[in-house]
Amino acid sequence: MAERKERSSSVRVALPMDLWLFGATVALVVIGLTLVYDSSYLVGIAKFNDSYYFLRLQALGAVFGFGAAAAVMRAGYWRFRKLGNALLPAAAALLLLVWTALGKEEHGAHRWLRLPISWQPSELAKLALILFLASAFAGAAGGRIRSADLWWRVFVSSVILGLINAEPDLGTAAALFTAVFALIAVAGVRRMELLKIVGGFALLFALASMAHTHRSDRLKAWLHPEQFNQGIGYQSYRARLAVGTGGLVGVGLGSGKEKYTLPEIESDFIFVNIAEETGFLGSALVIGLYMIVGARAYRAARLCKDRFGQLLATGLGTLIMGQAIINLTTVTGVLPATGVPLPFISNGISSLVVMMVSVGLLLSIAQHPTPPMRSRA
C-alpha cells in the first residue's frame, strides 16, 4: 500500500501545452526568418555570392532550437535542477576562451569562438547562471536565504557579468542582470539587501561604461545624434530616421531602403527593418507577441507549486523581456546603442537556440505546475 502511494505521488499530472506561449514563440521565429532574409540577401550576395546564406543559418538555428525545446519540455524542467552547477563553470571557461586563439574578433569585440559555426559563449552563460541561481535559492532551508549564501551567489553572478562585459558586451550583461535581479527578488531577499545589490551593480556598470572609450562616444552620439550622424553614431541616427518613416503600415515588405546602407541590420538593428517596412502595425504586432511571451512566463511562475520552477520561470521570462526591451529602446533611440540581439528574430544561431531552450523550459513549467514529489524533495 505504501509502495503504491509513493508511486502515485511521483507521477506528474500534465496540463495541456500553453498554446499562447508556443504560438507567440512560433510567430516570432517565423517573423525572424522572413526579416533575416529580407534584410540580408544583398549582404549574402556581396560576401558569399549566396542570397540565402543568412537565411540558411537562421533556419538551421530554428530547427536545432525547436528540437532542443521539444527535448527539454519532454524531459521535464525538474531534471535540469542540478545542471547549472556543472554548466556555469563550463560557460565561464568558454567566456575566457574568447581571448585565446580559439576566439574570433569582430569590430574590436571578442564575443565568438571559432567553431564550424560561430558561437557566443555569453548565450550559454545566460542559461547557466539562471539555472544555477534558481537551484541554489530553491534549496534554501525554510525558504530563508542566509546572507552569506546570498552574497556568494551575487559574487558568482558578478564574475559572469564581468566576463561578458569585458568582451565588451554591456548590453548582454545588462539584460542578464535584469533576470538575476528579478530572480533574487522573487527568492525572498530582504529589501535592504536588494538595494545594496542594485547600487553595487549600478556602480560597476557606470565604471565599466567609463572604462571603454567607445561607450562614452556612444553616449555622446545618443545625446547629440545630429552631431554624430557619421562614424559611431551612424547606425543610431539612421535607425531613428527609418523608424520614423514607417508610418502606420510601412513602405511595404521588401521595399525598405535602410537595408542597403545600415550595417548589421539583419542582427541587432533588425527592428529598424520591421518598423520601416511594416510601420506601426507591424511593430505593434511584434511588441504584442513579446508581451504574450512575458505574460505567460510570469503566469507559469505564479501557478507553479515548485520553488525551483517559480524561480526558473521568473528568471527566463525576465531575460527574454529584458533583452527585447533593451534592443527596442536602443534601436528607437530611447537608450544608447548596445549590441543586444532581438530575441527569436535577430540573426544568430546561438541566441536563437538558447532562447528556444528557455521557451522549452517555460512550456514544461506551465505544463507541470506540480512536478513529481521526488523531484521537489
Side-chain angles (χ1 to χ4, degrees):
M1 186 72 176
E3 180 182 354
R4 185 183 308 165
K5 184 176 181 181
E6 180 182 355
R7 190 185 308 117
S8 63
S9 65
S10 65
V11 176
R12 60 186 184 274
V13 178
L15 299 177
M17 184 173 66
D18 190 337
L19 294 179
W20 281 99
L21 176 56
F22 178 74
T25 302
V26 171
L28 287 169
V29 173
V30 171
I31 291 172
L33 290 170
T34 304
L35 270 297
V36 163
Y37 173 71
D38 177 52
S39 58
S40 69
Y41 67 91
L42 290 174
V43 180
I45 293 174
K47 290 186 176 181
F48 307 100
N49 197 28
D50 182 3
S51 62
Y52 295 99
Y53 178 82
F54 291 100
L55 176 61
R56 287 195 183 96
L57 290 179
Q58 192 75 354
L60 181 64
V63 170
F64 276 110
F66 276 111
V72 167
M73 183 180 175
R74 184 176 180 82
Y77 72 89
W78 55 89
R79 298 185 187 277
F80 299 90
R81 178 164 180 169
K82 298 301 181 183
L83 181 62
N85 295 333
L87 203 59
L88 193 62
L94 292 175
L95 288 171
L96 291 172
L97 282 179
V98 300
W99 297 96
T100 68
L102 295 176
K104 177 183 177 183
E105 180 184 356
E106 286 188 9
H107 309 297
H110 297 79
R111 303 178 185 176
W112 301 268
L113 289 177
R114 294 182 183 275
L115 300 174
I117 298 175
S118 294
W119 183 269
Q120 284 188 268
S122 60
E123 297 297 334
L124 179 63
K126 295 177 188 176
L127 184 60
L129 183 57
I130 292 174
L131 282 169
F132 170 78
L133 293 176
S135 175
F137 292 140
R144 295 182 179 180
I145 303 172
R146 295 187 305 172
S147 182
D149 293 336
L150 169 65
W151 289 105
W152 165 243
R153 268 74 189 195
V154 170
F155 171 75
V156 172
S157 302
S158 302
V159 171
I160 298 299
L161 292 171
L163 289 173
I164 295 174
N165 174 70
E167 293 180 342
D169 193 354
L170 182 61
T172 297
L176 182 54
F177 170 73
T178 62
V180 170
F181 176 77
L183 196 156
I184 292 176
V186 172
V189 175
R190 296 171 182 171
R191 185 177 301 178
M192 185 57 64
E193 291 179 318
L194 282 176
L195 292 175
K196 291 179 181 178
I197 292 172
V198 172
F201 276 104
L203 178 61
L204 290 176
F205 279 128
L207 293 175
S209 298
M210 293 186 294
H212 294 274
T213 305
H214 79 281
R215 288 177 180 168
S216 60
D217 291 340
R218 282 187 175 183
L219 181 60
K220 294 176 182 177
W222 174 64
L223 294 172
H224 308 285
E226 293 79 10
Q227 299 178 19
F228 296 87
N229 57 10
Q230 299 296 325
I232 196 168
Y234 178 76
Q235 279 184 306
S236 299
Y237 179 75
R238 298 299 305 180
R240 295 185 191 186
L241 294 180
V243 170
T245 58
L248 181 62
V249 297
V251 298
L253 191 62
S255 301
K257 297 180 179 179
E258 287 303 322
K259 59 191 172 191
Y260 301 118
T261 59
L262 194 63
E264 309 290 342
I265 193 173
E266 76 280 357
S267 183
D268 301 339
F269 280 78
I270 198 167
F271 188 75
V272 172
N273 207 30
I274 296 174
E276 183 185 17
E277 296 189 354
T278 65
F280 172 79
L281 294 180
S283 302
L285 172 63
V286 170
I287 294 173
L289 291 171
Y290 283 119
M291 293 178 67
I292 292 174
V293 171
R296 303 308 288 187
Y298 294 137
R299 179 181 184 273
R302 178 171 54 86
L303 298 180
C304 187
K305 302 299 188 294
D306 176 37
R307 185 168 172 80
F308 171 67
Q310 294 172 355
L311 297 174
L312 183 60
T314 300
L316 294 176
T318 305
L319 175 66
I320 296 172
M321 291 300 295
Q323 189 166 315
I325 290 172
I326 291 175
N327 179 279
L328 295 174
T329 51
T330 56
V331 168
T332 54
V334 178
L335 292 177
T338 57
V340 178
L342 190 60
F344 309 107
I345 295 181
S346 289
N347 175 56
I349 292 181
S350 52
S351 175
L352 180 56
V353 171
V354 169
M355 286 291 128
M356 292 303 299
V357 170
S358 300
V359 169
L361 289 169
L362 290 172
L363 287 170
S364 178
I365 296 169
Q367 194 170 22
H368 305 287
T370 306
M373 292 296 294
R374 289 178 182 175
S375 70
R376 285 188 284 170

